[in-house]
Amino acid sequence: CVILDVWAACQDATVTQELLKEGFHRDLLVKVELDAVEEDAAGCTVAARTRLPAGLYVDPYELASLQQHNLTKAVLIPDVIDVEAPEYLATDLLVLLYMEPDPRCSRCFRAALPVHGRYHRPAEEGEEALVVLKSPEVLVCCCDNRPRTECWKPAEAEAPCSGKTNGPCQWYSVTHKPTYEESILQVPVGLRQHSSLVCVLTLLATVLCSSLILAAVCKYGHFS
């Protein structure tokens, strides 16, 4: 009976994930609404743990600038990212995105993170590649390291509860239901039959720009 009562009380939290803007440079917006049984999460840190596929990445330098201005906070695993690598040479990226309370809703949290699409291999046909982003996992961390409800299960997360603590602490996973199981990003790709044309135009542009730079140096440069 007790087990059934606990299971009945563990209603799912609601998670919404959106990719804003267009093109290669997007904002990932995550919203979490806790249920009444989890409302005593006041004083705890709520975070969304999501795995970005190889077709997406977070610029660590951009993230550091945003965190310096307290505009967002996240932990990247791994923290060394090759922002120039194409999709077929990149690996998945694990992101722990710390969420802020939503002033319009006492049980709601939200956070945004800039993400960028990687270049894909040219395609035989079709001008877009699909990048599938799964729904994130909701994690909660409290200062006393104790679960506030039986609905929370211990989770492995090597990250501090907040920016004020350096060492990792105990996180708990919250059962949730995503509004959508996954988000799909459409990334523009080139066509293989255009490869020769692109190479020729790139070569011509390189020669022209180099010639202009050389001419400017010869005209305005000072040589001893």
Side-chain angles (χ1 to χ4, degrees):
C1 265
V2 175
I3 295 177
L4 291 177
D5 289 342
V6 171
W7 180 84
C10 290
Q11 301 296 322
D12 291 333
T14 302
V15 179
T16 303
Q17 179 176 255
E18 298 179 69
L19 285 167
L20 309 178
K21 300 181 180 178
E22 299 292 335
F24 282 90
H25 308 289
R26 302 293 190 96
D27 283 337
L28 174 62
L29 176 63
V30 182
K31 301 178 183 178
V32 173
E33 182 177 357
L34 299 178
D35 293 303
V37 70
E38 296 156 343
E39 194 171 2
D40 54 2
C44 300
T45 300
V46 178
R49 181 165 61 178
T50 185
R51 183 173 295 277
L52 298 183
L56 285 175
Y57 72 94
V58 175
D59 187 335
Y61 302 103
E62 180 182 21
L63 177 60
S65 176
L66 293 174
Q67 293 189 140
Q68 186 177 5
H69 294 87
N70 294 322
L71 297 178
T72 191
K73 179 171 176 54
V75 173
L76 306 180
I77 305 173
D79 56 357
V80 178
I81 301 171
D82 185 356
V83 299
E84 301 294 339
E87 179 270 340
Y88 49 88
L89 295 179
T91 57
D92 292 357
L93 173 65
L94 190 63
V95 180
L96 185 67
L97 179 61
Y98 294 84
M99 313 197 73
E100 296 289 337
D102 190 334
R104 298 168 295 181
C105 172
S106 61
R107 294 179 295 164
C108 301
F109 299 81
R110 60 184 292 155
L113 180 71
V115 296
H116 307 276
R118 293 187 183 274
Y119 291 107
H120 287 60
R121 291 185 186 274
E124 294 292 347
E125 56 184 28
E127 298 181 355
E128 290 180 336
L130 301 182
V131 179
V132 178
L133 181 59
K134 299 291 185 181
S135 178
E137 177 186 8
V138 179
L139 300 180
V140 175
C141 179
C142 302
C143 295
D144 54 13
N145 285 338
R146 297 178 182 176
R148 304 292 176 86
T149 169
E150 294 86 351
C151 301
W152 298 356
K153 303 301 179 184
E156 294 184 4
E158 293 294 329
C161 279
S162 67
K164 297 180 180 180
T165 56
N166 295 323
C169 50
Q170 181 61 62
W171 289 86
Y172 293 91
S173 179
V174 178
T175 57
H176 70 282
K177 57 181 178 182
T179 304
Y180 301 102
E181 291 289 343
E182 58 188 28
S183 299
I184 298 179
L185 172 66
Q186 295 179 328
V187 179
V189 297
L191 298 177
R192 290 186 183 276
Q193 55 265 36
H194 295 162
S195 298
S196 299
L197 177 61
V198 171
C199 291
V200 171
L201 292 179
T202 301
L203 179 60
L204 292 176
T206 303
V207 172
L208 176 61
C209 293
S210 300
S211 301
L212 292 175
I213 294 174
L214 182 60
V217 170
C218 294
K219 183 176 181 179
Y220 302 103
H222 297 283
F223 303 96
S224 55

